[in-house]
Amino acid sequence: MDEVTQASNDNTGDVTNDPINHPSYYTCYKVEVIDLIEGMPFCRGAAIKYIVRAGKKDPAKEVEDLKKARWMIDREIARVSGI
């Protein structure tokens, strides 16, 4: 774990240990992902979610999560562009 992630975990307290309500891979930064994305269009929020958790939820699926983020971004671009 890098120093920034460790410092963020130290600031979040016990919420990082709650796998249902506050999974550690979504609370490892200074702001919890749900607080950041809940007001965004779905695909934008989902892309951020996948980027944040890439390599943290399942290290073996890091590239898969990044590809999911890219898919969500491409879908959002299509929506905004009217394609």
Side-chain angles (χ1 to χ4, degrees):
M1 184 178 307
D2 64 34
E3 291 176 23
V4 172
T5 302
Q6 182 61 48
S8 295
N9 282 341
D10 291 344
N11 290 335
T12 57
D14 291 337
V15 298
T16 59
N17 297 323
D18 183 344
I20 303 300
N21 298 302
H22 305 283
S24 62
Y25 47 87
Y26 291 141
T27 59
C28 61
Y29 298 102
K30 292 193 184 268
V31 64
E32 190 167 347
V33 174
I34 191 68
D35 294 331
L36 176 64
I37 69 171
E38 66 185 349
M40 293 181 172
F42 178 79
C43 288
R44 291 182 192 199
I48 290 170
K49 176 188 80 164
Y50 285 122
I51 289 168
V52 167
R53 81 176 198 189
K56 290 179 175 38
K57 181 176 182 181
D58 183 349
K61 294 186 176 185
E62 182 172 12
V63 172
E64 181 179 306
D65 280 339
L66 292 172
K67 287 180 179 180
K68 288 177 181 180
R70 180 173 58 196
W71 188 88
M72 289 291 183
I73 291 168
D74 289 341
R75 189 168 174 95
E76 180 67 0
I77 290 170
R79 183 188 71 81
V80 171
S81 300
I83 298 173

